[in-house]
Amino acid sequence: MSIRILSIDGGGIKGIISAKILCALEDMLCEITGRKNVYIANYFDLIAGTSTGGILTAMLLCPDENGKPKFKANDCLNMYLKYGGYIFDKSVLRSIFTLGGLFNSKYPCYNLENVLDKYFKDLRLSQLLKPCLISAYDIENRRCVFFNKTDTCNPARDYPIKHIIRATSAAPTYFPVENCCTPDIKSPMIDGGVFANNPSLCAITEAARLNGKTHFCDMFVLSLGNVVNRTEISYKSAKNWGKLNWVSPLIDIIMDGVNQTVDYQMKTLFKTIGYPNNYLRISDEYNIEKGCPTIKMDDVSDKNICTLLEISDDIIKCCSDKLYKFALKLI
């Protein structure tokens, strides 16, 4: 029995790239199946996401009033295009008060919370359509946390989705810590990207746990990244840096390092067991020869949004054959 897994990286507004790739995948599935409407949730057995990937995970698995998928990939893309600027919006006074995020979070949380409330209302983890894996980090108990609807037999674990998404997207320095809670549990949490920005390895481990003696050769994993950070840090620039200088680049380094390490581990694992084509990683590395620009996770300028859409189109063009072949495995 095959297990189909979708894994989506974190990356703030760069989630536009993942959403556009999913739009392309939906189109391919429509072509292959001959159906006019398909939903990503119907073609995967487990979806994992961190930060902005967690938002996409929850949207893809969100049920409508009939218990069917509510959102298509294009709805996810439109969410970024419509509300990205609103989520990453701060007043001049806040910039002054926080000194650009040095003494408080760069952005307030209420705009993001308003958007989450609009899309998810009172939806709880147990109501998602399929097993999932959404990561966050509990800073009080110093532990990694994975939210999965299969663990909600304990009512205390059945968190509201909007709180889970606030937790997984509470990137340090960008958004305030989320006090993710139920009546029985209160845990201050931050972005799962600090340890699992690419959650694909966590996802196959979770799939193995849920399915007992399932072999990795039975798993098909589509892992979606976004824009690799290629900003060079020279020895001359960094040799005398202190805490203040390292804060911003260190976050990017940690997340990019996690992405690259997990991708290497996944490729090595599936190659070693003789099934390299069971794993497909898509990010702008497909387009590396064009020298994609470094893009900040909170840059919601019109110019940057257009750049992200252009990069998305280039990535899809470069990897369309591989994505189509992978789509055939999902049927």
Side-chain angles (χ1 to χ4, degrees):
M1 177 182 173
S2 64
I3 301 173
R4 304 159 299 175
I5 299 168
L6 172 63
S7 174
I8 312 172
D9 286 14
I13 196 62
K14 294 183 284 187
I16 284 175
I17 293 176
S18 297
K20 279 218 71 174
I21 293 170
L22 290 172
C23 289
L25 178 59
E26 275 188 356
D27 290 341
M28 291 175 182
L29 290 169
C30 283
E31 179 184 335
I32 294 168
T33 62
R35 297 173 183 170
K36 292 183 179 180
N37 283 314
V38 301
Y39 291 83
I40 293 295
N42 291 333
Y43 293 88
F44 287 94
D45 303 298
L46 183 147
I47 302 180
T50 293
S51 195
T52 198
I55 297 176
L56 289 168
T57 296
M59 287 190 69
L60 294 170
L61 296 178
C62 182
D64 64 13
E65 61 276 7
N66 298 313
K68 298 184 181 299
K70 184 175 183 179
F71 300 115
K72 295 175 67 67
N74 197 57
D75 296 316
C76 299
L77 176 60
N78 287 335
M79 183 273 295
Y80 287 105
L81 300 180
K82 185 174 182 179
Y83 294 109
Y86 175 69
I87 292 171
F88 290 106
D89 180 51
K90 62 181 182 298
S91 66
V92 174
L93 284 177
R94 185 175 183 87
S95 296
I96 295 172
F97 174 72
T98 66
L99 290 185
L102 289 177
F103 295 103
N104 204 326
S105 61
K106 194 173 181 181
Y107 300 97
C109 60
Y110 46 78
N111 286 5
L112 173 58
E113 290 174 351
N114 287 340
V115 173
L116 297 178
D117 188 60
K118 174 181 175 63
Y119 280 90
F120 302 113
K121 296 184 171 42
D122 297 321
L123 185 73
R124 289 189 171 269
L125 182 60
S126 62
Q127 295 173 285
L128 294 183
L129 295 170
K130 296 279 186 73
C132 63
L133 197 72
I134 300 175
S135 62
Y137 188 80
D138 181 339
I139 58 174
E140 184 173 283
N141 297 297
R142 290 299 184 96
R143 63 189 182 94
C144 303
V145 178
F146 297 100
F147 296 100
N148 192 333
K149 69 163 289 180
T150 60
D151 296 330
T152 55
C153 53
N154 177 1
R157 293 277 297 169
D158 195 12
Y159 294 91
I161 286 295
K162 57 190 177 185
H163 291 308
I164 292 173
I165 302 306
R166 259 286 287 123
T168 192
S169 57
T173 76
Y174 288 92
F175 289 106
V177 173
E178 166 66 4
N179 196 25
C180 199
C181 63
T182 62
D184 302 318
I185 301 175
K186 290 186 178 181
S187 300
M189 297 189 190
I190 61 171
D191 194 329
V194 297
F195 71 94
N197 200 53
N198 174 352
S200 55
L201 191 60
C202 299
I204 64 169
T205 304
E206 180 70 1
R209 181 182 76 87
L210 295 176
N211 293 277
K213 295 184 179 180
T214 301
H215 298 288
F216 289 122
C217 61
D218 296 322
M219 296 183 185
F220 296 91
V221 184
L222 175 61
S223 176
L224 302 183
N226 41 62
V227 182
V228 178
N229 191 333
R230 299 192 182 90
T231 301
E232 295 181 359
I233 302 175
S234 68
Y235 169 75
K236 183 178 180 181
S237 299
K239 65 178 181 179
N240 294 316
W241 278 3
K243 292 181 181 179
L244 188 61
N245 301 99
W246 273 111
V247 169
S248 181
L250 191 58
I251 293 172
D252 285 336
I253 289 169
I254 290 172
M255 292 186 176
D256 287 342
V258 168
N259 292 349
Q260 294 168 29
T261 301
V262 172
D263 181 39
Y264 169 77
Q265 291 168 329
M266 292 289 288
K267 285 177 179 174
T268 302
L269 170 62
F270 281 96
K271 183 178 180 180
T272 300
I273 64 174
Y275 291 85
N277 294 326
N278 282 24
Y279 170 69
L280 176 61
R281 170 75 171 173
I282 298 179
S283 73
D284 81 317
E285 291 175 355
Y286 274 94
N287 205 28
I288 197 168
E289 71 277 0
K290 283 197 171 185
C292 292
T294 296
I295 294 178
K296 295 180 180 179
M297 63 180 285
D298 61 338
D299 185 350
V300 290
S301 64
D302 290 343
K303 179 181 178 181
N304 189 59
I305 298 298
C306 288
T307 299
L308 285 170
L309 292 172
E310 290 171 0
I311 292 173
S312 302
D313 290 337
D314 285 342
I315 293 172
I316 293 167
K317 183 178 179 180
C318 289
C319 68
S320 60
D321 289 344
K322 289 187 176 182
L323 186 60
Y324 191 87
K325 289 177 181 177
F326 193 90
L328 290 171
K329 299 174 182 178
L330 302 175
I331 307 302

